[in-house]
Amino acid sequence: MVEIDKSKPVMVTGATGYVAGWIVKKLLDEGLTVHAAVRNPNNEEKIKYLKLLAASSKGQIKFFKADLLEKSSYDDAVKNCELVFHTASPFSNRVKDPQKELIDPALEGTRNVLDSVNKSETVKRVVLTSSVAAIMGDTKDLLDIPNRIATEENWNISSSLTHQPYSYSKTLAEKEAWNINEKQNKWDLVVINPTLVLGPGISPAITSESYKLMQQLGDGSMKMGVPDFQIGVVDVRDVAEAHYKAGFTPEAKGRHIVNAESKTFLQIADLVRKNYGDKVILQTKTLPKWVVWLAAPTAGLKRKFVTKNVGYPWTVDNRKSIEKLGIEYRPLEVTVNDFFEQMIDNGAFEKA
Ligand code: NAP
């Protein structure tokens, strides 16, 4: 049981990120002081949305310069904090050097952040933004799980440096966080494992892979059809709520799958079509798996990925997040509509 004193500041790593933006908003709206750890506090363009949030809320924000790859980088930001949200980690499926671009910042970054936490005399709880990618690697892996439904008990055992390296980076980082946590007794660890996060950003300049995926869905680049690929999806505002509850629910414990619904890309496209069918170019059919397999390299996909992920149902158990954190998930239609409204307003599909 950990009670957090709300008069103390709260650190958020990667505060300029898509998911972090909504966590910061929630904290500020609750009147808290946020220590926003960002790579470049002088990048006005990037931090102006956070400053605007602070200006219209009861809370306060202070910026600190920190980099996942620099030792002791988070020492200043963590000062006087009882609660830390560690969200920073590169999220990309298009990297040239997975070790350097994904694994090192995720793993070394987790070590560096938790090292600063260990040095602090005040931190009582760390909430880590992991991913469902640390629970499950390939969709086909579900065939080996009881009832074919992944739970918080499962760990990704199929990703590697060469196969799904982003998922591998999240698995290594979460395992390392648990290892570091077990070696001390000053702070406890609560983990959030979201599925694909969608919904509007607090800044329209979203860099997350979530944005790039949805942009591809509406810009015509997949107009021939989409792979029969099922995925869990959750609203970014519900993910932020889950982090907040994980931070401030004294009895919160362990991992939490945060997922609203499981959908195929075609089902997501159908949701967009209802309101924005005239503004974006959407898919109307699913491509046969063999076509996707053959075309994979030209679409930037690995054939092994297609073999192990296309054409399988995808199911995870989100009951713990509902029962223990009290999350009420928004319908996906709302998430997708709000996301596409923002993307269209910001010209994301102007070349479509
Ligand atoms: P994002 O907008 O790209 O955020 C990533 C954040 O990590 C950015 O704030 C970025 O800082 C920071 N970062 C990257 N490398 C860093 C470094 N070397 N030093 C310091 N900060 C660094 O992506 P996101 O979707 O919000 O992802 C946030 C977290 O959610 C990640 O841990 C991700 O794995 C997790 N997650 C995301 C999804 C999803 O679907 N979006 C699903 C499950 C889990 P800059 O702003 O300076 O670039």
Side-chain angles (χ1 to χ4, degrees), residues 225-249:
V226 272
D228 178 16
F229 184 66
Q230 216 178 72
I231 194 161
V233 197
V234 61
D235 192 290
V236 65
R237 295 160 288 193
D238 296 338
V239 175
E241 185 68 18
H243 280 79
Y244 184 83
K245 294 272 180 63
F248 292 102
T249 305

Side-chain angles (χ1 to χ4, degrees), residues 139-146 148 312-313:
T139 316
K140 191 170 182 278
D141 297 348
L142 274 175
L143 301 182
D144 300 324
I145 289 177
R148 299 185 177 176
Y312 297 100

Side-chain angles (χ1 to χ4, degrees), residues 14 16-19 39 46 67-68 87 130 166 170 197 208 210:
T16 37
Y18 168 56
V19 168
R39 272 197 276 196
K46 237 178 162 173
D67 194 301
L68 289 172
T87 82
S130 183
Y166 164 71
K170 296 303 288 180
V197 183
S208 173
S210 297

Side-chain angles (χ1 to χ4, degrees), residues 55-99:
S56 59
S57 76
K58 293 182 280 173
Q60 284 184 39
I61 195 159
K62 291 177 186 163
F63 292 93
F64 295 82
K65 183 173 166 55
D67 194 301
L68 289 172
L69 293 165
E70 279 171 32
K71 287 202 185 309
S72 305
S73 208
Y74 293 85
D75 286 4
D76 287 343
V78 87
K79 266 189 197 137
N80 300 323
C81 296
E82 289 192 354
L83 179 61
V84 165
F85 291 95
H86 176 33
T87 82
S89 200
F91 177 30
S92 176
N93 290 317
R94 303 150 232 250
V95 294
K96 287 199 177 110
D97 184 342
Q99 180 68 44

Side-chain angles (χ1 to χ4, degrees), residues 249-315:
T249 305
E251 58 276 14
K253 205 173 166 13
R255 313 172 88 193
H256 301 80
I257 291 175
V258 172
N259 176 58
E261 293 175 53
S262 230
K263 289 281 175 215
T264 62
F265 279 140
L266 198 59
Q267 286 170 325
I268 299 176
D270 285 341
L271 288 177
V272 182
R273 205 178 333 271
K274 282 192 189 168
N275 287 325
Y276 302 112
D278 56 335
K279 297 200 170 69
V280 290
I281 304 170
L282 291 160
Q283 300 71 23
T284 52
K285 62 174 190 242
T286 298
L287 295 169
K289 186 168 178 175
W290 66 269
V291 173
V292 180
W293 188 87
L294 273 180
T298 48
L301 291 174
K302 296 236 167 101
R303 286 195 170 131
K304 183 175 170 188
F305 174 81
V306 174
T307 304
K308 290 176 176 281
N309 290 281
V310 172
Y312 297 100
W314 195 97
T315 5

